[in-house]
Amino acid sequence: MPSACDPVIEDIEDMVSSTDPTPHERQSARKNIVPRPKKKKELLNDEELQADSVIPGMQKIWMKTWGCSHNNSDGEYMAGQLAASGYKMTEADLWLLNSCTVKNPAEDHFRNSIKKAQEQEKKVVVAGCVPQAQPRMDYLKGLSIIGVQQIDRVVEVVDEAVKGHSVRLLGQKKEGGRRLGGARLDLPKIRKNPLIEIISINTGCLNACTYCKTKHARGDLASYPIEELVKRVRQSFQEGVCEIWLTSEDTGAYGRDIGTDLPTLLWRLVEQIPDGAMLRLGMTNPPYILEHLGEMAKILNHPRVYAFLHVPVQSASDSVLMDMKREYCIDDFKRVVDFLKERVPGVTIATDIICGFPGETEEDFQETLELVKLYRFPSLFINQFYPRPGTPAAKMEQVPAQVKKQRTRELSQLFHSYNPYDHKVGEMQHVLVTEESFDAQYYVAHNKFYEQVLVPKKVEFKGKMIEVEIYEAGKHFMKGRPVEDSKPFNPSIAAPLQQGEVSGLIQVITHTHTHTHTRPGVRLSGASSSALLLNTDIYT
């Protein structure tokens, strides 16, 4: 039984009454408050300010996100809503932990972070795929939970958590009996990188892979309408973004639940992309791209779309693919790769491989090695199989741990035996500069094929398209020196937001005071934005 001071309420609806102000009302109400300047002697410092109850919206929150770009987008939305509601995102009274359930190590890090927060007597709110899929895990008892479909209500959950209540919000969003894609796309958000907008085009998928835990959390396919996605892309460019990432559990399946398809969406989005800005497609499984290969080749050849596609193969053995329930054979995968390589010269195909899936024989594994030798994938995500609780694969006869490790090492050695970029030394390339390298010594740019190019760290290059000469090639990157007399081109149609600035807010100035409220498509700027700046360590 929970203690009287730590009540567990299974649904936040039991805690928030109809008479309580919503987070949106709390934000909008600020316009009715006219600040009265105080004389110096009237000002109170933090030590003098006392209250007999906890007032939500005044606390500090530290946030950490694990996992895919979809999860990162969810995290950006949650951070934006909390900052817009008054919370300060920095080292912290409460930890908001946004989890990933794909692999055991990711969940272990999540569980360890919960333990660390509790040892430091921090309040904890958990989000993401782990609590959504298994909310009754022992280590989640007594914690507040935000479901993956409910990130638009993060402020309500955090409000209750800071007051000492434990609430759980795990429902599905539906409209007219149809499952919706998730929270609205026009919510306030704080981009991890102000130059890059991550947009989830759908949530869930149509597959039933026997190893996948994410399906338990994200559910079946639910796509956002095209017009909503077009509007979000347009807003992003109005806020200075120069690169768009489309993400989901399977972008290739987009639209099958709402009577449209991925190419139809992409042609609409391309119309919104300014010259020099770029669009990157997310992961797509082979079954749902096969019927669109012709249109996809045309789209990948578009000058404002990266010629890059992430198509997971997982194994080159038809027997293993059948046990995985991947719904394609290896010839289907080869058809996708061969077609795109022929029609999109230089295209980058990234893929994933699982080593040691239950029942995988040495012959099966050798087929996978031969596939890698054939295509020499420049980007290869190698995963040792982890049985995820509750999945069919966890109940299958497992490959011995030492065999899984040996196969993972062997595949890794093969991958590192070739250098995909050596032949590009001496080339002139146009690259879009969007990030800083991990060692902070370079800026990171990408060429048309989404290959990583390190360039000198000059502030005038950030967010610009520049021309470089490739002078060095490594396993995962190239290095480029700017071409003399070549001027950086700015693809942004507006100045980018500052690091930590909230997207989707507007500043309203009257004769006597300034206030803010949410409005899609317009950013907060000027003096009032300073209260909403996030510490840049929120995603460490």
Side-chain angles (χ1 to χ4, degrees):
M1 289 290 289
S3 66
C5 62
D6 187 26
V8 176
I9 298 173
E10 285 298 318
D11 196 319
I12 198 170
E13 309 297 351
D14 299 329
M15 174 57 61
V16 183
S17 75
S18 60
T19 59
D20 290 339
T22 66
H24 179 73
E25 290 170 342
R26 188 164 79 197
Q27 180 72 22
S28 299
R30 295 179 181 180
K31 64 185 178 182
N32 298 319
I33 301 173
V34 181
R36 177 175 62 86
K38 292 187 177 211
K39 294 179 181 178
K40 214 168 191 180
K41 64 180 181 180
E42 294 178 315
L43 296 175
L44 299 175
N45 60 35
D46 290 342
E47 289 74 17
E48 293 172 323
L49 182 60
Q50 298 181 359
D52 59 4
S53 63
V54 177
I55 303 172
M58 301 178 67
Q59 291 74 25
K60 298 174 183 177
I61 297 175
W62 181 73
M63 182 174 180
K64 183 173 179 64
T65 291
W66 292 265
C68 64
S69 54
H70 191 167
N71 237 30
N72 275 279
S73 179
D74 285 353
E76 291 178 347
Y77 275 122
M78 288 190 283
Q81 292 172 84
L82 290 165
S85 192
Y87 288 101
K88 291 182 175 63
M89 308 297 289
T90 183
E91 292 291 341
D93 306 302
L94 179 145
W95 287 19
L96 174 55
L97 304 174
N98 188 21
S99 64
C100 171
T101 192
V102 171
K103 302 178 188 176
N104 290 29
E107 184 170 346
D108 291 343
H109 288 308
F110 172 61
R111 182 168 54 246
N112 291 337
S113 293
I114 292 174
K115 182 180 179 181
K116 183 178 179 180
Q118 292 170 331
E119 289 172 350
Q120 296 181 24
E121 298 183 348
K122 306 287 187 181
K123 291 183 171 63
V124 180
V125 175
V126 294
C129 292
V130 171
Q132 180 72 54
Q134 289 185 294
R136 301 191 184 281
M137 294 289 285
D138 285 344
Y139 69 89
L140 297 178
K141 286 183 179 177
L143 301 182
S144 291
I145 295 176
I146 305 162
V148 296
Q149 291 274 301
Q150 306 292 339
I151 61 170
D152 56 338
R153 299 182 67 184
V154 62
V155 176
E156 295 170 67
V157 175
V158 169
D159 280 354
E160 296 306 322
V162 299
K163 291 188 286 188
H165 303 136
S166 179
V167 296
R168 298 187 168 200
L169 187 60
L170 294 163
Q172 296 284 330
K173 287 186 176 295
K174 293 185 178 181
E175 186 176 272
R178 185 180 69 82
R179 184 170 175 268
L180 298 179
R184 299 193 332 267
L185 295 174
D186 61 356
L187 293 169
K189 77 184 304 187
I190 295 178
R191 298 184 182 95
K192 182 180 179 181
N193 184 336
L195 297 173
I196 299 174
E197 167 72 0
I198 307 172
I199 302 177
S200 171
I201 63 174
N202 56 265
T203 188
C205 69
L206 294 172
N207 288 5
C209 300
T210 55
Y211 57 82
C212 184
K213 188 79 172 178
T214 306
K215 180 67 177 274
H216 295 196
R218 298 284 184 179
D220 292 325
L221 180 70
S223 304
Y224 285 98
I226 287 179
E227 294 305 324
E228 288 185 26
L229 293 164
V230 169
K231 186 176 179 181
R232 182 67 201 182
V233 166
R234 188 181 299 127
Q235 175 189 336
S236 300
F237 287 123
Q238 289 170 351
E239 293 176 337
V241 161
C242 63
E243 187 169 289
I244 299 283
W245 295 0
L246 301 184
T247 184
S248 76
E249 284 63 57
D250 186 352
T251 57
Y254 171 81
R256 286 175 171 248
D257 57 321
I258 58 173
T260 186
D261 55 39
L262 181 61
T264 302
L265 169 67
L266 294 177
W267 285 125
R268 288 290 309 279
L269 297 186
V270 164
E271 296 172 358
Q272 306 298 323
I273 305 174
D275 287 340
M278 298 297 289
L279 175 71
R280 192 193 82 172
L281 276 62
M283 186 273 287
T284 179
N285 285 311
Y288 307 113
I289 205 70
L290 278 167
E291 63 191 75
H292 302 308
L293 283 177
E295 284 300 293
M296 290 304 299
K298 294 176 185 176
I299 290 165
L300 293 175
N301 275 311
H302 194 283
R304 296 192 293 274
V305 178
Y306 285 119
F308 167 89
L309 202 59
H310 179 191
V311 188
V313 65
Q314 306 300 9
S315 172
S317 163
D318 284 343
S319 174
V320 173
L321 291 174
M322 185 177 297
D323 288 342
M324 291 179 172
K325 287 194 174 179
R326 289 290 288 169
E327 299 183 5
Y328 57 87
C329 64
I330 193 59
D331 284 345
D332 292 331
F333 175 81
K334 289 181 176 179
R335 181 183 164 202
V336 170
V337 177
D338 292 343
F339 186 96
L340 293 178
K341 279 182 169 291
E342 178 185 350
R343 304 293 181 90
V344 188
V347 66
T348 296
I349 301 294
T351 196
D352 299 12
I353 290 174
I354 296 174
C355 294
F357 186 81
E360 182 187 65
T361 65
E362 185 60 31
E363 291 74 17
D364 295 328
F365 179 65
Q366 289 301 319
E367 291 182 47
T368 298
L369 291 177
E370 290 303 316
L371 183 78
V372 175
K373 292 175 184 177
L374 174 64
Y375 289 113
R376 296 167 66 92
F377 301 103
S379 182
L380 177 61
F381 303 95
I382 301 170
N383 303 291
Q384 180 179 315
F385 175 74
Y386 291 99
R388 302 297 291 130
T391 62
K395 301 174 184 177
M396 299 176 180
E397 185 175 350
Q398 303 296 306
V399 172
Q402 65 271 21
V403 176
K404 290 192 290 187
K405 291 179 181 178
Q406 184 272 328
R407 290 177 183 171
T408 303
R409 282 196 299 269
E410 189 173 347
L411 182 58
S412 296
Q413 288 169 357
L414 172 59
F415 174 60
H416 285 93
S417 70
Y418 58 86
N419 294 315
Y421 306 130
D422 283 355
H423 66 287
K424 298 200 173 190
V425 172
E427 286 187 0
M428 301 294 181
Q429 299 182 356
H430 285 89
V431 297
L432 181 59
V433 184
T434 55
E435 303 171 67
E436 185 179 89
S437 62
F438 285 117
D439 62 7
Q441 299 301 305
Y442 299 91
Y443 277 153
V444 178
H446 292 91
N447 60 20
K448 163 66 176 172
F449 310 105
Y450 203 68
E451 296 162 338
Q452 186 170 266
V453 179
L454 303 181
V455 301
K457 192 175 176 183
K458 295 184 178 180
V459 66
E460 63 267 27
F461 292 164
K462 193 73 175 287
K464 307 295 195 306
M465 181 77 76
I466 64 173
E467 186 178 8
V468 298
E469 178 186 1
I470 302 301
Y471 67 91
E472 184 180 329
K475 175 63 181 176
H476 301 288
F477 62 87
M478 292 168 276
K479 290 183 180 178
R481 63 171 63 94
V483 174
E484 289 187 20
D485 301 324
S486 176
K487 295 182 179 179
F489 177 77
N490 184 7
S492 299
I493 62 175
L497 301 181
Q498 296 298 309
Q499 185 73 49
E501 196 174 354
V502 182
S503 160
L505 297 183
I506 185 174
Q507 181 185 48
V508 180
I509 302 176
T510 66
H511 292 298
T512 57
H513 63 282
T514 301
H515 58 267
T516 64
H517 64 88
T518 56
R519 181 184 296 175
V522 188
R523 75 178 190 182
L524 179 76
S525 61
S528 292
S529 68
S530 61
L532 302 178
L533 293 181
L534 279 111
N535 184 294
T536 56
D537 292 331
I538 59 169
Y539 290 94
T540 57

